[in-house]
Amino acid sequence: VYNAAPAWGVTVGDALGVPDPVLTQHQHQHQGQTFSFLGVRVSSPLSLVVNGKRPPGSALAPPRLALSNPSAPP
């Protein structure tokens, strides 16, 4: 689950409700092989329903800021 906190997740056997999913077909080629699979995306783990309940706010990964300056000397 994208943007989920490392300590949060779902387990085998959980009932998962996915409101407003976006279904995407992925196709990738690598070393002469083609891999094709479907992906389901939601806007946030907080929009899911797990075992009849919404996840707690702590299920959302905290934001991270990454900066880079390619012209700066190493």
Side-chain angles (χ1 to χ4, degrees):
V1 177
Y2 294 106
N3 296 322
W8 181 85
V10 294
T11 58
V12 174
D14 282 346
L16 185 63
V18 184
D20 302 321
V22 176
L23 185 65
T24 306
Q25 174 75 40
H26 298 270
Q27 288 189 341
H28 302 278
Q29 291 186 355
H30 179 68
Q31 296 181 347
Q33 292 185 311
T34 300
F35 301 91
S36 179
F37 58 93
L38 293 173
V40 177
R41 190 144 203 174
V42 293
S43 59
S44 164
L46 300 181
S47 68
L48 298 173
V49 178
V50 182
N51 298 325
K53 298 185 226 170
R54 296 274 184 190
S58 61
L60 186 61
R64 293 185 343 186
L65 177 62
L67 301 173
S68 67
N69 185 350
S71 62

